[in-house]
Amino acid sequence: MQNPLDSPSSVHQTRSDPECGFRVGKRVHWIGDTRRIGTVKYMGPVEGFSGTWIGVDWDNDGDGKHDGSHNGVRYFAARGLKTASFVRPHNLSSGISLLQALEARYRTVSTKEEEDEMYVLSARNKRVSIELLGKEKIQDKISQFEELTSASLSYLGASSAGSPSLISSTLPYLKELDLTGNLLAEWNDVVIICKALPFLAALNLSCNSLSPDITPMPQLNNIRILVLNHTGVIWNQVEMLKDSLPCIEELHLLGNKLREITAVSTTAVQGFDFLRCLNLEDNCIADWAEILKLSQLKSLEQLFLNKNDLNRIWYPDYGTTHKSDNGCESLDKNPMSFNTLQCLLLGGNKIEDLDSIDSLNSFPNLVDIRLSENPIADIGKGGVPRFVLIARLAKVETLNGSEVSPRERKDSEIRYVRLVMSKFHDNPEEITRLHPRFAELKKIHGIEDERPLTGATGPQKMASGLISVSLKCVGASIGEKPPVMKKLPATTTVGKLKNLCQSFFKLKSVKPVLFLQEEDSPLPILLEDDMASLIELGVGNESTILVNEES
């Protein structure tokens, strides 16, 4: 039973055995390890072995030994080659009730053996026991369940709600409940818990494998935050939950392999009148047309789309249609499209075109944007530096989690205009097509076509201008050297500057690596393209360049 077989010769029929207390589809965990969770896929005999066996497909890759087959016989189909096991019933638990989990979490007294394992190592590598000051007082306080307003019951094997009246009387004022990683599978248990806790506002059901069948549910007016990360929920189920959660403000659906947002009856998702935050991170959404189905949510302020497969985005225009990746036409612009959206997180996608970036200006109230880990924001993959993104995004106040100060915006926009002028000075039509904000920014900052750069020796025109940069050594083996101020042609390439740094700092055996340090940027920007010029990379007057050593 330990070895996976690639081509089992037959399929064994599943039998049920009511006496063992399990059934196919039941969620279970290994006795003594509540984090080793799986689903019963088979019950019955295994050829060559006596008695009843339970075939389990484990949630975590590598927790099993095979793929659901043994000696050429297929007993069940597992997720992977090593996610399945045949287990004796006495080694599995089908779970406990909510209140039993509460007891286990808050009223379990640590054993002497457990307390003996609580130690730190001294300077001489000797064990020093830890004494928990006030332990009894703390345990007494949290064991008063009727005073609890928040409870974390993650990975305790809770599989059922239990008695609603006992839940109500035991936890009368509970507001937040974390049930991450338990064995809950039926929505009816979720309803019982929510109805029994009238003050419950935040419920976390992450990493529970919930049934795809949602029967009509009563309204749960108390729930404001619902977390369904890694539960296998699809959008059809979300639509069915909508009427039951009339006051929901935050909905988290991270890691559910969602590909589509299937709206009911119309092309756009309706309802969710109070939903302010929707988390769709770490899914498989590739087509922006799916996201446009959320454009009518009237209160949506935060939309989290990090780690999906989006490669382009757009804001729908009046009288214009966009063909999506599957050939279907997208929605036409509605006056209320994403009207309340303030925060849009797009990190870790596949966006690589500047048209997608420019389209973000059309979102009426969008000020917080994340674009990190996209090709367009990775200079090494042909992307653009932070200052270009800031200049092209007229309203952004927070970019990639870092605040855009008024000074950084002004500096970025001026540098951007100068960069464009250096590359397209004889092609105004090309500038208009590729750089929509160029003319506006020139006017805002009063930049003329031949705007001089001022240096210590007097004004210089852009075509032949010098820029003043501060070169600062930071390499560990280079040694402490004072910064050097140099005036360099704006057309100096990174490769040429590396050679100059070797001369300036007398670096005989060190290959320098250069970084542009920007005052308002959280991290220095690596200047890795030896053929790129300083002006092309946005190195402006009085910039600081860090000189490190190649590792």
Side-chain angles (χ1 to χ4, degrees), residues 1-5 65-67 69-71:
M1 289 184 292
Q2 302 290 312
N3 300 319
L5 299 173
K65 300 294 184 182
H66 53 75
D67 65 349
S69 60
H70 173 64
N71 285 343

Side-chain angles (χ1 to χ4, degrees), residues 302-377:
Q302 299 176 315
L303 181 56
F304 302 163
L305 298 172
N306 292 327
K307 297 183 180 178
N308 275 274
D309 295 319
L310 297 163
N311 59 20
R312 62 192 181 100
I313 59 180
W314 67 87
Y315 191 83
D317 297 323
Y318 282 117
T320 302
T321 57
H322 293 263
K323 283 198 173 180
S324 63
D325 295 341
N326 60 15
C328 297
E329 291 185 344
S330 70
L331 300 171
D332 279 339
K333 181 177 179 180
N334 182 290
M336 296 295 290
S337 292
F338 294 112
N339 190 50
T340 57
L341 190 65
Q342 299 176 21
C343 174
L344 179 60
L345 305 187
L346 292 162
N349 279 275
K350 301 175 180 178
I351 300 165
E352 57 184 5
D353 65 302
L354 286 168
D355 285 344
S356 290
I357 304 305
D358 295 336
S359 72
L360 296 172
N361 287 316
S362 298
F363 290 71
N365 294 291
L366 187 58
V367 294
D368 185 352
I369 301 170
R370 182 174 293 276
L371 294 165
S372 51
E373 298 181 69
N374 280 278
I376 192 61

Side-chain angles (χ1 to χ4, degrees), residues 240-463:
M240 295 184 70
L241 286 170
K242 180 169 57 181
D243 293 335
S244 301
L245 302 167
C247 300
I248 191 77
E249 297 177 6
E250 288 188 25
L251 181 59
H252 296 264
L253 302 171
L254 179 149
N256 286 308
K257 299 182 180 179
L258 287 166
R259 297 180 183 275
E260 297 179 339
I261 295 173
T262 313
V264 174
S265 72
T266 64
T267 55
V269 175
Q270 304 292 329
F272 291 114
D273 289 347
F274 299 98
L275 187 65
R276 295 183 298 103
C277 176
L278 178 59
N279 184 350
L280 293 170
E281 292 188 6
D282 198 16
N283 279 289
C284 305
I285 302 172
D287 194 339
W288 185 251
E290 297 299 317
I291 304 304
L292 292 182
K293 295 175 183 177
L294 304 169
S295 64
Q296 304 305 302
L297 295 177
K298 62 178 64 175
S299 300
L300 188 64
E301 297 175 358
Q302 299 176 315
L303 181 56
F304 302 163
L305 298 172
N306 292 327
K307 297 183 180 178
N308 275 274
D309 295 319
L310 297 163
N311 59 20
R312 62 192 181 100
I313 59 180
W314 67 87
Y315 191 83
D317 297 323
Y318 282 117
T320 302
T321 57
H322 293 263
K323 283 198 173 180
S324 63
D325 295 341
N326 60 15
C328 297
E329 291 185 344
S330 70
L331 300 171
D332 279 339
K333 181 177 179 180
N334 182 290
M336 296 295 290
S337 292
F338 294 112
N339 190 50
T340 57
L341 190 65
Q342 299 176 21
C343 174
L344 179 60
L345 305 187
L346 292 162
N349 279 275
K350 301 175 180 178
I351 300 165
E352 57 184 5
D353 65 302
L354 286 168
D355 285 344
S356 290
I357 304 305
D358 295 336
S359 72
L360 296 172
N361 287 316
S362 298
F363 290 71
N365 294 291
L366 187 58
V367 294
D368 185 352
I369 301 170
R370 182 174 293 276
L371 294 165
S372 51
E373 298 181 69
N374 280 278
I376 192 61
D378 187 340
I379 298 176
K381 295 180 179 179
V384 298
R386 175 180 170 91
F387 82 92
V388 171
L389 295 174
I390 291 172
R392 296 186 83 115
L393 295 170
K395 298 189 291 285
V396 68
E397 297 175 1
T398 302
L399 179 62
N400 296 336
S402 176
E403 180 184 356
V404 179
S405 68
R407 176 175 175 178
E408 184 184 17
R409 171 161 293 286
K410 180 180 178 180
D411 290 347
S412 295
E413 291 175 349
I414 292 173
R415 289 168 63 187
Y416 171 71
V417 170
R418 289 173 175 167
L419 171 61
V420 174
M421 290 170 66
S422 72
K423 296 179 104 176
F424 299 97
H425 60 278
D426 292 327
N427 198 335
E429 294 82 9
E430 194 76 351
I431 290 179
T432 301
R433 184 176 67 85
L434 296 177
H435 303 276
R437 295 199 70 216
F438 176 76
E440 171 194 357
L441 294 177
K442 273 186 66 180
K443 183 177 180 181
I444 289 174
H445 298 291
I447 301 174
E448 301 297 334
D449 288 340
E450 294 285 328
R451 186 179 194 274
L453 292 174
T454 302
T457 58
Q460 303 278 346
K461 290 190 175 181
M462 282 214 46

Side-chain angles (χ1 to χ4, degrees), residues 133 183 483:
L133 296 177
L183 305 180

